[in-house]
Amino acid sequence: MSADAAARTAAMLAALWQKNQPLMLERLDLLDRASTHPELHEEAIAVAHKMAGTLGMFGFPEGTAIAREIELALEAGNRNISHLAARLRALLFPTR
């Protein structure tokens, strides 16, 4: 890939990240609530799975790993994910 194509791709991904930030914040909020609201358990698993699948594309491989850890914890019946959700939020939105 040429330097110009790489720059265009990086700019496109940065624009997509900006567009998707509100959705990511909504997903993080749901993960925060899932720790204390059992009725959100299945939705939280789906959200963690989606985040694990997309964060690497935006340049957050560590985010993918944390989201996958959340997904696995929830699948195992562990609702105590607040510390993982906090780590993920800090990684994705360090200034908030």
Side-chain angles (χ1 to χ4, degrees):
M1 178 183 299
S2 71
D4 187 47
R8 283 194 312 269
T9 300
M12 180 184 70
L13 286 173
L16 280 172
W17 175 246
Q18 288 297 317
K19 180 181 176 184
N20 281 282
Q21 283 184 8
L23 176 61
M24 292 298 165
L25 286 167
E26 286 176 26
R27 289 177 174 174
L28 286 166
D29 290 344
L30 183 130
L31 292 176
D32 287 338
R33 292 190 318 272
S35 292
T36 56
H37 294 83
E39 69 276 9
L40 296 176
H41 185 82
E42 292 299 320
E43 188 176 0
I45 292 171
V47 161
H49 180 80
K50 289 174 187 174
M51 291 181 85
T54 59
L55 290 174
M57 175 183 74
F58 291 117
F60 295 104
E62 184 180 350
T64 293
I66 296 169
R68 181 71 177 135
E69 193 174 346
I70 292 169
E71 179 185 10
L72 292 172
L74 290 168
E75 287 176 343
N78 181 359
R79 289 194 345 245
N80 184 17
I81 59 163
S82 58
H83 65 290
L84 293 171
R87 277 181 50 211
L88 188 54
R89 184 180 297 273
L91 176 72
L92 301 178
F93 300 101
T95 59
R96 290 187 183 191

